[in-house]
Amino acid sequence: MKHLLLIGMILLISGCSKPYMSTIYPDDKQMILKDRAVDLPMPFYDLSMKSQDYPRCHKKGFCSLFPEFRESDFIKMNHPWNMMTDENGYSVGIEQTLPNGAIVLDYSIQFSASILPYTERERALEEKNIAYMKTSKTWIKPTDLVTIEHHGKENYFCFVVETSEIKRGRKSKIYYCDKFNPERTITKHITINITYTCAPNLPKELEPLAREYTYEDLQKRSQRILDSLYIKDEWEK
């Protein structure tokens, strides 16, 4: 009877888990993110100084390290690093809020993935046709900085848009990175949106914090995401 109860509890716990979150295991044949194997996989939700050294995979088949964490983040910011997940990706961020809940200083990195047909857009990306690529995003403004770069473990083609909203104190750099199947019929499309917000009405007492937590600092912290990005050879939606 005890054995049956134990089995039942295991099944119940397994049924409540979220299968789209996982770490990379040592026997993962596609694990090329780290030079050393992950001996003890860390929990996906564990955002700490220790866990930042372990890459994470999403069920959509992309993997990367977290941005760089610092000990001071967990002391100086009243809302240190946290995570939210969904079916297509996840977001990780850190923020400073006022007593009324208003966000005045924010680091945010959102990840999402989709599998799409290979079209003229993907061909233009491979040919580094920026003029055509600009037409693929109708929201791009003339003042936005647009480039085509290579990032990740396999030098993926990435269409990059850097934009700013001065009135809101917001800057962002969005990476649209693609991995194509060998037949050039399908692409796995990964979006990494790195956003920084420093509210124009920032209280004077928070100005020293804003001088430390800058857009440039966020870009530097996020470079390890781009360097470690790995898109698996999985083409089913």
Side-chain angles (χ1 to χ4, degrees):
M1 186 65 179
K2 290 183 178 180
H3 289 87
L4 290 175
L5 289 173
L6 179 60
I7 293 172
M9 290 176 65
I10 294 173
L11 290 174
L12 180 61
I13 294 171
S14 300
C16 294
S17 65
K18 297 181 179 180
Y20 53 83
M21 299 179 295
S22 65
T23 51
I24 299 178
Y25 288 82
D27 60 351
D28 189 333
K29 294 179 181 179
Q30 297 197 81
M31 184 181 121
I32 59 173
L33 285 164
K34 298 284 285 183
D35 294 330
R36 65 181 188 273
V38 179
D39 296 324
L40 296 173
M42 302 292 292
F44 193 94
Y45 277 116
D46 181 25
L47 303 182
S48 65
M49 294 298 296
K50 183 178 180 181
S51 71
Q52 69 174 324
D53 292 328
Y54 295 85
R56 298 296 189 275
C57 284
H58 191 272
K59 78 162 189 178
K60 289 292 185 179
F62 69 93
C63 315
S64 81
L65 292 168
F66 288 137
E68 178 191 350
F69 300 159
R70 297 175 188 156
E71 292 282 4
S72 58
D73 301 338
F74 300 92
I75 300 171
K76 295 182 179 181
M77 300 291 270
N78 57 20
H79 289 282
W81 291 101
N82 61 83
M83 176 184 287
M84 295 182 64
T85 66
D86 60 41
E87 185 73 12
N88 296 312
Y90 66 94
S91 63
V92 58
I94 181 173
E95 63 187 38
Q96 182 75 28
T97 58
L98 299 180
N100 63 4
I103 299 173
V104 290
L105 190 61
D106 176 65
Y107 281 22
S108 178
I109 301 100
Q110 294 91 30
F111 302 79
S112 64
S114 56
I115 295 177
L116 304 169
Y118 184 96
T119 65
E120 287 298 322
R121 176 203 170 278
E122 285 67 40
R123 184 172 291 106
L125 180 60
E126 288 197 89
E127 294 174 354
K128 297 190 175 182
N129 185 342
I130 291 182
Y132 185 94
M133 291 301 298
K134 285 183 177 181
T135 66
S136 68
K137 306 291 182 184
T138 56
W139 52 265
I140 293 177
K141 303 186 295 291
T143 54
D144 292 342
L145 178 62
V146 178
T147 57
I148 293 177
E149 304 173 5
H150 290 275
H151 294 286
K153 288 295 183 178
E154 299 175 315
N155 290 319
Y156 309 112
F157 283 92
C158 298
F159 179 52
V160 184
V161 182
E162 190 167 17
T163 186
S164 64
E165 301 173 66
I166 297 175
K167 290 183 178 180
R168 299 180 64 184
R170 177 177 293 180
K171 297 180 180 179
S172 66
K173 199 167 186 178
I174 310 172
Y175 297 81
Y176 301 96
C177 299
D178 285 79
K179 180 172 183 174
F180 317 115
N181 68 342
E183 299 77 21
R184 292 298 192 272
T185 57
I186 300 174
T187 181
K188 186 176 286 186
H189 188 66
I190 309 297
T191 301
I192 303 173
N193 188 342
I194 300 171
T195 303
Y196 172 80
T197 301
C198 182
N201 59 342
L202 188 73
K204 192 174 184 63
E205 62 269 20
L206 293 179
E207 289 179 359
L209 200 62
R211 286 194 291 270
E212 178 180 351
Y213 288 84
T214 64
Y215 177 66
E216 291 72 23
D217 180 58
L218 175 58
Q219 297 299 316
K220 182 179 179 181
R221 290 180 186 234
S222 301
Q223 186 60 46
R224 56 194 252 131
I225 295 172
L226 302 171
D227 294 341
S228 65
L229 177 64
Y230 179 54
I231 305 174
K232 290 188 177 185
D233 292 312
E234 299 170 355
W235 307 107
E236 294 182 4
K237 294 184 178 180

